[in-house]
Amino acid sequence: MSITILAIESSCDETSAAVCKDGVILSNIIASQKIHEQYGGVVPELASRAHMQNIVPVVDVALKNAGCSLQDLNAIAFTQAPGLIGALLVGGQFAKSVSLSLNIPLIAVHHMQAHVLANLIEDPKPSFPFLCLTVSGGHTQIVLCESPLNMKVIGQTIDDAAGEAFDKTAKMLGLPYPGGPLVDKYAKEGNPDAYKFPEPQIQGLDFSFSGLKTSILYFLNNAGSSNVYKENFSVNAEERQQFIDDHLPDICASVQSRIISILLNKLQKASKETGIKDVCIAGGVSANSGLRTAITEMGKRNNWNVYIPKFEYCTDNAAMIAIAGYFKYLENEFSDLSVSSTARAEW
Ligand code: KG4
Ligand code: ZN
């Protein structure tokens, strides 16, 4: 019997629905919520309302593009955690209604595990065990994946996530939210060695980005003074802006280069310690062109097999929820209707 799964993702500001049949993605529809741009960040209440408006049309298109109807579904999967609670509840309640009305199993999926499993959507796929650098707006983790449903976090950020480092840098530079893709864009035209930002000294496989954020703030407030830690500001707002306008590509390239080196140095350490050479990236920041190039080059130097999901499977999407749901279906890992959405979730 073939297995057709409808999946819903609504953890933050993308409303997404996907259909997968026997582990093959047939459709993946993503409605991005533009409303948050004017506020410089995601407004939780507005995200929930936008999910409410988007969810039915997004599911309709996903089913239509997959060439199937509700009656063809064998299960419904949804993002249960982590994320914005109001946003998660919209997808969760929708999934429960579908499960109840069609009398099909409900599958609760962990958003971060699904990001990792995005690497198993298309060929070539990593072999188990593999390492995954999962970098998003809220998380930065090195995950050791033994099998689709058996993974553990072996390193993580102790403060900001890599995506936050990108977004906060963009905000300091006066770029609109979400700034990560814009930093990426300007970095392409800049010199990554123009400015040297400090590398944090954190033990083990954990990360830290808050010191970098502070050093960028002081650096900008001093209009590029070589002493990036100097706190007493030497320039006024106008001079600060002029410095940014004159050097935007170099600043973006230098910050991006430091974020990438922080990430990849720890990934290299994890590979050395575990002896694992199948290495993946996942999450919104894995869409970063500099990171994609740098991990490919590091892979060549270290004899790694590097896997990078295509762009639409890096940022939030329901295809990754569908593939995670498929693996859970195969193991009969179903939830009952009492399962609740949660903003935070350990694993
Ligand atoms: O995985 P994701 O879509 O949502 C979360 O689960 O958080 O990740 C969103 C994050 C944001 O911080 C965004 O700025 C960042 O991914 N991002 C990027 C790029 N595209 C998205 N950061 C750097 N370069 C990019 N091209
Ligand atoms: Zn995500």
Side-chain angles (χ1 to χ4, degrees), residues 300-312:
K300 282 184 197 146
R301 289 197 301 276
N302 290 281
N303 285 326
W304 291 350
N305 302 311
V306 173
Y307 302 87
I308 302 177
K310 69 178 186 193
F311 282 107
E312 67 174 295

